[in-house]
Amino acid sequence: MFAVHLLAFHFTKLKEDQIKKVDRYLYHMRLSDDVLLDVMARFQAEMVKGLGKDTNPTATVKMLPSFVRSLPDGTEKGEFLAVDLGGSQFRAHQVKVFDDGKQSSQLESKFYPSPKEVIQGNGAELFDYIADCLVDFMETKNLKHKKLPLGFTFSFPCKQTKLDKGVLLSWTKHFKVRGVQDTDVVSSLRKALQKHKDIDLDVLALVNDTVGTMMTCGYDDPRCEVGVIIGTGTNACYMEEMRHIDLVEGDEGRMCINTEWGAFGDDGALDDLRTEFDRELDLGSLNPGKQLFEKMISGLYLGELVRLILLKMTKEGLLFNGKVSTALLTKGKIEMKHVSAMENRYKEGLSNTKEILTELNLFPSEEDCIAVQHVCTIVSFRSANLCAAALAAILTRLRENKKLLRMRTTVGIDGGLYKTHPQYAKRLHKVVRRLVPNCDVRFLLSVSGSGKGAAMVTAVAYRLAAQRNKIDAALAPFLLSLETLREVKNKMRTELEYGLKRETQASATVKMLPTYVCGTPDGTEKGKFLALDLGGTNFRVLLVKIRSGRRRSVQMYNKIFAIPLEIMQGTGEELFDHIVQCIADFLDYMGIKGARLPLGFTFSFPCRQASIDKGTLVGWTKGFKATDCEGEDVVDMLREAIRRRNEFDLDIVAVVNDTVGTMMTCGYEDPNCEIGLIAGTGSNVCYMEDMKNIEIVEGNEGKMCINTEWGGFGDNGCIDNIRTKYDKEVDEGSLNPGKQRYEKMTSGMYLGEIVRQILIDLTKQGLLFRGQISESLRKRGIFETKFLSQIESDRLALLQVRRILQQLGLDSTCDDSIIVKEVCGAVSKRAAQLCGAGLAAIVEKKREDRGVEHLQITVGVDGTLYKLHPHFSRVLQETVKELAPQCDVTFMLSEDGSGKGAALITAVAKRLHNVGQK
């Protein structure tokens, strides 16, 4: 027993001595965590350099866009072919993807040799060989009669400009085919395939094997957004935010970036870590000075590194009694499979080591075997460490892109070194988790990543193309041509004329209501005025002080009161009693209950006026539905309510539309302002019309402001050709079906609802939210127009769009967010264009009425849609310019048209009244 212990002690001591000897000898290959964190930081800097347009040309890590924009979502289906060139063998695959709810697929493959004369010959021979192998495969599988999409896995650095176009930058590994570098490899493959008239293949996607690995794993695990290969060569890819990829147009969504990390350090960035053995190996390689990181990591080189180390140690008398064999002097004699076998655990590893060394005509002692085994460990461990550092950099970038403190993600991984080496995977996982403790990483082994992956990329491309067609079809009716917009402008012009003429006014959809506002401010207005503003869910009371002369100014004091839904949709008496209650509170608040002040009442609903202080409600809009009001004079109803309260008295001078108030506010600043536009909850326009054109009002002298109430445009069916099924659904579900059709296509109250209807339709078609219509999406009004403005903001990343959708109870993917943003854009752009077409009709009419070739005019504008939406104002202005090129239109933002404007109208009416009395 003692003898056994003694023997064990002797062996352990022997082992320790040999390990220490090798550790000292290969000190520079043993990397601490501090060194690895430094490598990680260097790699992060190289990634940023590779993504930048200006810095990419000098970057070693090329960060090549793959044009793969989407991961599998489980709905892919169909039959695909894939070919895989890049490893030690060439492979052809047939992949069937089933949409059976189980995300199942079937793979059948055939392996073909990669003869040296082909992989180091000329380009035409290489692609003819690939085509011949494919034809053979299709014959074997009885597929020649089918037209099939093909994915091409090409595991070399390519600069892609499209999914199916890639120019080879350089050969790597043991490939060196003449005449292929700097040419499009897909085009070469297509040419070779065209020689075979008996097959019909459509090359849809060029895929790097690393991207294929990510896509294969992404099919099984939706969290997978990184792919890594550690085999003959090494590389990594990951999903990057488009906004960071300067090399590709567009900021929306994500794209898979093929890092080509094998070239990291080609600029000398890793020289402090490279040993004399790395330099010697590089000098003897096919591509000296290139792929230096790969040469420290990948299976093609690790065996050779071990050979060079053993050779030098032997020459120095540290191994094999200093006796060098011919085999040890021969390049390539130690391969990765030997390193893996020698690193097997315990006695099996040592036994393998002895056997391998003996085959190399070396006669190892026990000490030699222990030392050689440890050399292999240090070389392969360094490989895993360096790989982990670069992968940790990618994971950190992903986490920072998502603005997460902690991230769960999956890394799809493939490659012979990772799969067959007994310790490699465990070492890599351990180091990655140590370097990025705030990332919970799952490592998922890819099954036939490079082949199945190419088919998955092709399947996703196929799915996206089909989805794209369906989305385009849904949004096509929202894309209005210039010709269509001209038609809308001309129809609006016709309706404007109908509304002004006595015989057609009654049946006109654009009511062209006279406001009896006959002038704009001239700067002499002064005094204290009250203004009321009713037009939405809030009601305001204002005190406005106007000063004239050199110290001309307008001071305002106001208070906002809510109007509950039960009042909005109760009785007329309740509504006006509530308004008077609010006025009483304000007068008390300001301490002016005793003063009989002139009052302007902004009433933002269609009214037929018989004078400036008489307004009969034509019909409620914007969600109001109080009874016993339509057909009644709202000024009389307000006076009656004041009388019922019997607390104060007011001089109601003018009933005002908010659009007129907007024009007057801007007219106070700019005398050229003769048009008012509201683009907010509702949509409307007013303008100064020549009295001689207003047949429904007596008199031909001067001008009067006409409140067009253009929201009703189209109620006679004249724009039915541009109304979509979604517009009809919104109209049918509204409080006033068949009314205000133009407003329902252009105003803030309805745009969100149109978007919701489209999203429901796209979800039903399986194009959004995984085909699941959530409870929140079923709720009418959930998608407020303010969300359109937020989602369409250029400053908003898709991550923030996803957060907005999550607030609405919509669990969206990145792809969903892009589609939602596109839908919002289509709906709001059409609204702005339709608004612009209507406005162009009015400015053109003004120009013709004045009889001038060029018109200079200002439009006063108000409304949240115009003010807050990131693109609405620009699109509207561009449309007006396009449709009315002879009009130079200035757009001026109104400052409180409904409050200040009402007071100014009251002041102008008082001024004109006083002039009339004199």
Side-chain angles (χ1 to χ4, degrees):
M1 190 72 183
F2 177 71
V4 172
H5 281 297
L6 195 63
L7 197 64
F9 173 76
H10 170 71
F11 180 74
T12 308
K13 186 86 177 69
L14 183 73
K15 194 172 181 182
E16 278 175 11
D17 290 345
Q18 293 306 311
I19 287 171
K20 280 178 185 169
K21 176 174 78 176
V22 173
D23 280 346
R24 280 195 300 275
Y25 197 78
L26 298 179
Y27 171 75
H28 287 297
M29 281 190 161
R30 295 167 56 81
L31 307 176
S32 68
D33 278 5
D34 284 345
V35 170
L36 294 178
L37 287 167
D38 183 43
V39 171
M40 179 177 153
R42 292 185 214 181
F43 190 74
Q44 278 178 303
E46 277 300 316
M47 288 168 78
V48 172
K49 205 172 164 186
L51 288 169
K53 202 173 206 166
D54 299 332
T55 47
N56 175 272
T58 58
T60 55
V61 179
K62 282 299 175 196
M63 304 295 281
L64 303 171
S66 68
F67 291 82
V68 171
R69 297 169 186 267
S70 182
L71 293 162
D73 71 353
T75 63
E76 291 77 16
K77 59 182 175 182
E79 196 172 346
F80 306 91
L81 284 184
V83 290
D84 174 12
L85 180 73
S88 48
Q89 287 179 307
F90 170 69
R91 290 175 288 181
H93 310 272
Q94 178 193 10
V95 183
K96 290 178 183 172
V97 184
F98 305 101
D99 182 19
D100 55 4
K102 297 175 191 166
Q103 287 185 232
S104 53
S105 62
Q106 187 182 315
L107 174 77
E108 291 187 35
S109 307
K110 189 170 179 183
F111 290 73
Y112 295 89
S114 301
K116 191 169 181 182
E117 63 272 18
V118 171
I119 65 171
Q120 293 186 8
N122 70 56
E125 287 167 1
L126 171 70
F127 289 103
D128 284 345
Y129 178 72
I130 295 171
D132 292 343
C133 293
L134 256 172
V135 171
D136 173 73
F137 181 71
M138 290 179 82
E139 266 174 4
T140 310
K141 300 291 175 192
N142 195 24
L143 296 171
K144 285 179 87 171
H145 61 288
K146 289 186 177 180
K147 179 178 169 64
L148 292 171
L150 173 73
F152 181 20
T153 299
F154 189 74
S155 308
F156 304 94
C158 280
K159 186 178 181 183
Q160 286 188 249
T161 47
K162 288 197 297 192
L163 188 58
D164 63 347
K165 186 172 183 175
V167 171
L168 175 67
L169 294 177
S170 63
W171 288 111
T172 57
K173 295 170 269 202
H174 46 284
F175 279 71
K176 203 140 192 182
V177 184
R178 297 183 301 280
V180 182
Q181 203 165 319
D182 300 323
T183 66
D184 175 18
V185 294
V186 175
S187 171
S188 300
L189 178 59
R190 281 182 178 141
K191 273 182 203 153
L193 289 169
Q194 278 161 12
K195 294 176 188 173
H196 297 271
K197 304 297 179 195
D198 52 342
I199 60 166
D200 188 0
L201 291 176
D202 186 8
V203 187
L204 273 193
L206 176 70
V207 185
N208 179 281
D209 56 345
T210 323
V211 179
T213 295
M214 181 188 76
M215 294 297 271
T216 305
C217 295
Y219 186 64
D220 298 320
D221 181 346
R223 286 187 193 276
C224 182
E225 47 194 350
V226 181
V228 177
I229 298 270
I230 313 166
T232 311
T234 182
N235 194 12
C237 69
Y238 72 102
M239 295 301 286
E240 177 59 87
E241 301 287 324
M242 277 290 289
R243 68 182 189 277
H244 296 149
I245 309 170
D246 288 355
L247 304 168
V248 180
E249 288 297 310
D251 286 338
E252 300 303 337
R254 300 195 301 168
M255 183 181 283
C256 181
I257 287 290
N258 165 19
T259 65
E260 287 297 340
W261 76 8
F264 176 38
D266 286 5
D267 59 352
L270 296 175
D271 280 2
D272 56 327
L273 300 178
R274 290 175 70 229
T275 64
E276 59 183 295
F277 308 110
D278 296 306
R279 291 187 177 88
E280 194 177 339
L281 178 142
D282 176 47
L283 286 171
S285 69
L286 282 171
N287 54 351
K290 303 276 176 68
Q291 300 294 107
L292 297 182
F293 190 60
E294 182 169 77
K295 285 169 185 169
M296 297 164 85
I297 286 175
S298 82
L300 187 63
Y301 302 103
L302 294 196
E304 183 60 10
L305 267 177
V306 168
R307 185 187 74 83
L308 292 172
I309 294 165
L310 298 188
L311 180 59
K312 188 168 187 220
M313 287 182 78
T314 307
K315 283 179 177 176
E316 290 179 14
L318 297 170
L319 290 172
F320 316 125
N321 293 321
K323 288 175 186 166
V324 177
S325 69
T326 309
L328 193 58
L329 287 166
T330 309
K331 184 180 168 185
K333 273 294 181 183
I334 298 179
E335 296 175 29
M336 192 58 233
K337 64 182 181 184
H338 300 132
V339 176
S340 294
M342 288 191 277
E343 277 197 76
N344 262 332
R345 288 207 160 186
Y346 311 119
K347 289 183 180 172
E348 190 189 340
L350 284 173
S351 164
N352 291 342
T353 307
K354 187 165 189 175
E355 194 178 312
I356 290 160
L357 294 174
T358 305
E359 279 175 19
L360 294 171
N361 292 322
L362 298 161
F363 300 99
S365 64
E366 206 166 348
E367 292 97 318
D368 290 334
C369 290
I370 293 166
V372 170
Q373 190 181 46
H374 195 53
V375 168
C376 293
T377 300
I378 288 177
V379 169
S380 63
F381 215 132
R382 183 185 69 156
S383 164
N385 275 336
L386 289 171
C387 229
L391 180 54
I394 289 173
L395 293 169
T396 301
R397 183 167 179 87
L398 267 177
R399 184 181 60 76
E400 287 171 356
N401 280 350
K402 293 181 181 188
K403 296 183 169 57
L404 294 173
L405 292 173
R406 190 167 195 88
M407 177 180 76
R408 259 184 83 189
T409 194
T410 298
V411 174
I413 199 155
D414 202 352
L417 174 54
Y418 179 86
K419 287 201 278 198
T420 60
H421 188 285
Q423 315 290 335
Y424 199 97
K426 196 187 290 179
R427 289 170 187 164
L428 179 80
H429 301 175
K430 203 171 176 181
V431 180
V432 167
R433 288 176 179 135
R434 216 164 58 228
L435 294 178
V436 278
N438 45 7
C439 292
D440 300 318
V441 188
R442 178 192 180 204
F443 290 89
L444 184 58
L445 192 59
S446 164
V447 182
S448 340
S450 46
K452 185 177 166 187
M456 287 317 312
V457 172
T458 311
V460 169
Y462 219 62
R463 166 176 64 81
L464 291 177
Q467 281 184 353
R468 184 73 263 160
N469 291 340
K470 287 179 182 174
I471 291 163
D472 287 348
L475 297 183
F478 290 87
L479 303 175
L480 304 179
S481 67
L482 203 53
E483 201 43 55
T484 303
L485 290 169
R486 280 201 186 96
E487 278 174 34
V488 173
K489 179 186 88 166
N490 296 337
K491 285 175 182 174
M492 178 66 86
R493 177 67 186 269
T494 304
E495 293 295 316
L496 297 174
E497 302 291 358
Y498 281 166
L500 288 171
K501 294 202 169 9
R502 187 175 276 113
E503 66 271 18
T504 50
Q505 205 274 341
S507 61
T509 58
V510 181
K511 286 297 176 196
M512 304 296 280
L513 304 172
T515 64
Y516 294 86
V517 171
C518 298
T520 50
D522 68 357
T524 64
E525 294 77 17
K526 60 182 179 182
K528 285 183 185 177
F529 304 89
L530 274 181
L532 310 181
D533 173 16
L534 178 70
T537 48
N538 290 329
F539 169 66
R540 283 191 310 156
V541 188
L542 303 95
L543 173 65
V544 183
K545 295 178 182 175
I546 303 174
R547 290 171 76 164
S548 61
R550 274 167 45 192
R551 296 178 66 192
R552 203 174 78 144
S553 67
V554 178
Q555 279 182 301
M556 293 189 291
Y557 309 89
N558 73 74
K559 203 165 182 193
I560 297 169
F561 302 89
I563 299 189
L565 191 65
E566 63 270 19
I567 299 272
M568 283 168 72
Q569 298 181 7
T571 68
E573 198 168 286
E574 286 168 346
L575 175 63
F576 281 91
D577 282 348
H578 179 74
I579 289 168
V580 170
Q581 169 71 56
C582 297
I583 297 170
D585 288 352
F586 180 75
L587 295 176
D588 276 340
Y589 174 71
M590 295 300 294
I592 50 170
K593 214 167 199 177
R596 190 174 186 270
L597 294 174
L599 179 141
F601 183 15
T602 298
F603 188 74
S604 306
F605 303 93
C607 278
R608 186 168 275 107
Q609 287 187 250
S611 66
I612 197 164
D613 65 346
K614 285 194 182 306
T616 304
L617 177 63
V618 174
W620 286 117
T621 58
K622 293 182 278 197
F624 276 73
K625 223 168 182 182
T627 57
D628 308 321
C629 294
E630 293 180 0
E632 299 295 324
D633 181 356
V634 294
V635 177
D636 283 348
M637 291 183 84
L638 180 60
R639 283 184 179 134
E640 281 298 318
I642 291 171
R643 216 168 280 135
R644 275 197 298 278
R645 191 168 180 92
N646 199 23
E647 266 185 39
F648 54 85
D649 195 16
L650 297 169
D651 173 18
I652 304 171
V653 173
V655 61
V656 180
N657 179 279
D658 56 345
T659 323
V660 183
T662 293
M663 182 189 77
M664 293 296 267
T665 306
C666 293
Y668 187 67
E669 306 293 335
D670 180 353
N672 216 15
C673 181
E674 291 198 3
I675 300 173
L677 165 68
I678 295 276
T681 311
S683 176
N684 196 15
V685 157
C686 71
Y687 71 102
M688 295 303 287
E689 179 60 275
D690 295 332
M691 281 292 288
K692 65 177 184 286
N693 295 332
I694 311 171
E695 292 184 8
I696 50 175
V697 177
E698 293 301 315
N700 286 331
E701 293 304 312
K703 292 180 177 183
M704 182 184 285
C705 182
I706 289 290
N707 166 20
T708 66
E709 286 299 340
W710 76 0
F713 174 47
D715 288 1
N716 59 0
C718 71
I719 55 170
D720 277 4
N721 63 312
I722 60 166
R723 288 178 76 229
T724 67
K725 63 178 180 178
Y726 310 110
D727 295 308
K728 287 167 189 161
E729 280 162 1
V730 169
D731 179 38
E732 283 159 18
S734 68
L735 287 168
N736 53 350
K739 303 271 178 71
Q740 300 293 105
R741 287 179 177 177
Y742 182 65
E743 181 170 75
K744 284 169 186 168
M745 295 164 85
T746 56
S747 81
M749 183 158 189
Y750 301 100
L751 298 191
E753 188 56 19
I754 297 171
V755 167
R756 188 182 74 90
Q757 292 293 347
I758 299 170
L759 298 187
I760 286 174
D761 185 32
L762 295 181
T763 307
K764 280 179 183 170
Q765 292 184 56
L767 304 172
L768 269 180
F769 310 130
R770 299 172 190 84
Q772 305 295 312
I773 300 176
S774 64
E775 276 310 305
S776 55
L777 195 56
R778 293 180 202 277
K779 285 182 198 160
R780 185 173 295 283
I782 178 82
F783 213 96
E784 295 171 49
T785 298
K786 71 175 181 184
F787 295 129
L788 264 79
S789 295
Q790 289 171 7
I791 286 168
E792 285 190 69
S793 168
D794 294 328
R795 295 191 308 277
L796 214 60
L798 280 178
L799 202 62
Q800 290 157 295
V801 174
R802 283 177 77 177
R803 282 193 190 132
I804 291 167
L805 294 173
Q806 277 163 359
Q807 284 167 22
L808 297 172
L810 304 170
D811 184 21
S812 73
T813 63
C814 180
D815 291 344
D816 290 338
S817 303
I818 295 171
I819 295 167
V820 170
K821 194 166 183 175
E822 190 179 347
V823 170
C824 292
V827 170
S828 62
K829 184 179 182 182
R830 182 191 68 159
Q833 287 179 321
L834 287 175
C835 227
L839 192 57
I842 288 170
V843 295
E844 270 294 301
K845 182 183 188 315
K846 293 282 293 176
R847 186 185 67 78
E848 287 172 22
D849 288 350
R850 282 198 201 171
V852 293
E853 198 168 324
H854 284 278
L855 173 74
Q856 276 208 323
I857 196 162
T858 299
V859 177
V861 199
D862 204 349
T864 48
L865 192 56
Y866 186 91
K867 284 180 172 175
L868 301 181
H869 190 281
H871 309 300
F872 189 93
S873 58
R874 175 183 53 77
V875 175
L876 183 143
Q877 290 173 30
E878 284 169 359
T879 308
V880 173
K881 199 170 188 176
E882 190 81 57
L883 298 179
Q886 290 165 276
C887 301
D888 182 7
V889 184
T890 302
F891 288 82
M892 183 179 188
L893 274 179
S894 162
E895 217 185 302
D896 195 13
S898 43
K900 184 176 170 181
L904 283 165
I905 289 167
T906 308
V908 170
K910 277 288 191 189
R911 170 171 63 77
L912 294 176
H913 178 71
N914 293 340
V915 169
Q917 281 190 331
K918 285 176 188 172

